[in-house]
């Protein structure tokens, strides 16, 4: 195992792979060896064995979150969003509603554009950690996207137009406190919160705040 470690730290990834078969028999350090082996496959460009090793690692050590993060990142980067969601769900069933697992599920739902589900899971994240900034962003973004999806009829005098407009405004009202909390927590992340607050302030006729966002944008 120490030889595997030294080879990895010297970027000798092929030698890591060669030595890992024996090193993995050391149960005390198996987790560490699996991590070096997986990352070596990644460096060697062997994406298939990288993924296989991560699946093995997650099965053996479900509570070690770096394995979860490596595999989730790979699935999302490859656009395998349904697989990513199923992967998160399987670990949540096994390990419980851990904040990091729920956050990973949020990323999967974000990639899938499942806004109502993203709101529900993000709220669970906030229950576990009220200071989690991105959960507020996910909720605000989701409500804004639901608002944008409301179709307004062509005739502004029709009853259905007023009903649709009221529905749209309600969604923006739901989004607003979460977006403002995100802005407060991440003031430099204007690219995320400014366009969404622009939409919300405009739809809700919040003149002074709308003018402020206009200047920022």
């Amino acid at each position: 195992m120490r030889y595997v470690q030294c080879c990895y730290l010297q970027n000798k990834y092929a030698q890591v792979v060669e030595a890992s078969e024996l090193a993995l028999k050391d149960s005390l350090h198996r987790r560490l060896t699996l991590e070096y082996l997986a990352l070596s496959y990644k460096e060697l460009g062997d994406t298939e064995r990288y993924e296989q090793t991560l699946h093995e690692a997650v099965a053996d050590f479900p509570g070690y979150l770096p394995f979860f993060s490596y595999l989730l990142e790979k699935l999302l980067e490859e656009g395998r969003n349904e697989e990513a969601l199923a992967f998160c769900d399987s670990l949540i069933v096994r390990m419980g509603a851990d904040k990091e697992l729920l956050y990973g599920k949020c990323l999967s739902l974000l990639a899938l554009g499942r806004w109502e589900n993203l709101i529900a899971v993000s709220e669970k994240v906030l229950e576990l950690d009220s200071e989690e900034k991105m959960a507020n962003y996910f909720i605000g973004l989701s409500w804004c996207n639901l608002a944008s999806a409301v179709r307004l009829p062509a005739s502004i005098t029709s009853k259905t137009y007023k009903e649709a407009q009221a529905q749209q405004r309600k969604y923006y009202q739901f989004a607003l406190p979460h977006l403002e909390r995100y802005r407060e927590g991440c003031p430099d992340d204007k690219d995320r919160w400014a366009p969404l607050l622009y939409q919300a302030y405009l739809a809700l006729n919040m003149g002074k705040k709308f003018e402020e966002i206009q200047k920022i944008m």
Side-chain angles (χ1 to χ4, degrees):
M1 190 283 296
R2 293 301 177 196
Y3 177 72
V4 164
Q5 186 179 45
C6 291
C7 288
Y8 180 80
L9 294 174
Q10 294 181 63
N11 305 325
K12 298 175 180 178
Y13 304 118
Q15 287 171 249
V16 171
V17 174
E18 289 173 9
S20 289
E21 183 177 356
L22 182 58
L24 287 169
K25 294 178 182 179
D26 173 12
S27 59
L28 183 63
H29 298 102
R30 179 175 169 82
R31 191 195 77 188
L32 188 59
T33 303
L34 280 168
E35 188 165 11
Y36 288 136
L37 178 59
L39 295 175
S40 294
Y41 279 134
K42 183 179 182 181
E43 293 294 336
L44 291 167
D46 192 337
T47 56
E48 184 177 344
R49 285 193 173 88
Y50 173 58
E51 184 173 334
Q52 288 173 353
T53 305
L54 287 178
H55 278 294
E56 181 182 350
V58 170
D60 288 355
F61 303 98
Y64 184 60
L65 291 174
F67 289 145
F68 164 73
S69 299
Y70 296 146
L71 185 50
L72 179 65
E73 181 181 32
K74 184 176 188 297
L75 295 173
L76 291 174
E77 282 180 351
E78 294 177 356
R80 295 156 63 187
N81 303 323
E82 290 285 2
E83 286 183 59
L85 180 60
F87 172 53
C88 293
D89 282 335
S90 68
L91 270 186
I92 290 169
V93 168
R94 188 172 175 186
M95 302 299 296
D98 176 88
K99 175 192 162 184
E100 297 302 323
L101 300 182
L102 289 173
Y103 187 84
K105 184 172 182 175
C106 286
L107 294 176
S108 305
L109 292 167
L110 176 67
L112 289 164
R114 295 183 184 169
W115 309 121
E116 291 178 357
N117 291 336
L118 180 54
I119 291 167
V121 178
S122 297
E123 286 174 346
K124 289 181 181 178
V125 172
L126 287 175
E127 287 174 13
L128 295 173
D129 181 2
S130 61
E131 300 299 316
E132 174 52 60
K133 299 178 182 67
M134 285 304 295
N136 278 305
Y137 170 70
F138 290 149
I139 294 172
L141 172 69
S142 297
W143 283 120
C144 284
N145 282 329
L146 289 171
S148 298
V150 175
R151 293 191 176 184
L152 298 175
S155 174
I156 63 172
T157 59
S158 69
K159 181 183 176 183
T160 52
Y161 182 93
K162 292 177 181 178
E163 290 173 348
Q165 188 181 51
Q167 183 71 54
Q168 191 178 66
R169 284 177 174 168
K170 184 173 75 171
Y171 288 158
Y172 280 123
Q173 285 170 344
F174 290 155
L176 204 53
H178 294 282
L179 292 174
E180 289 179 336
R181 276 185 219 123
Y182 182 70
R183 177 186 180 180
E184 184 180 348
C186 301
D188 294 331
D189 198 5
K190 296 183 182 71
D191 289 345
R192 280 199 173 105
W193 52 256
L196 298 177
L197 284 172
Y198 179 94
Q199 293 176 36
Y201 291 149
L202 177 63
L204 298 172
N205 296 318
M206 300 177 72
K208 289 184 179 179
K209 290 192 173 184
F210 177 72
E211 289 172 12
E212 179 198 2
I213 288 294
Q214 261 192 320
K215 290 175 183 177
I216 290 171
M217 294 183 67

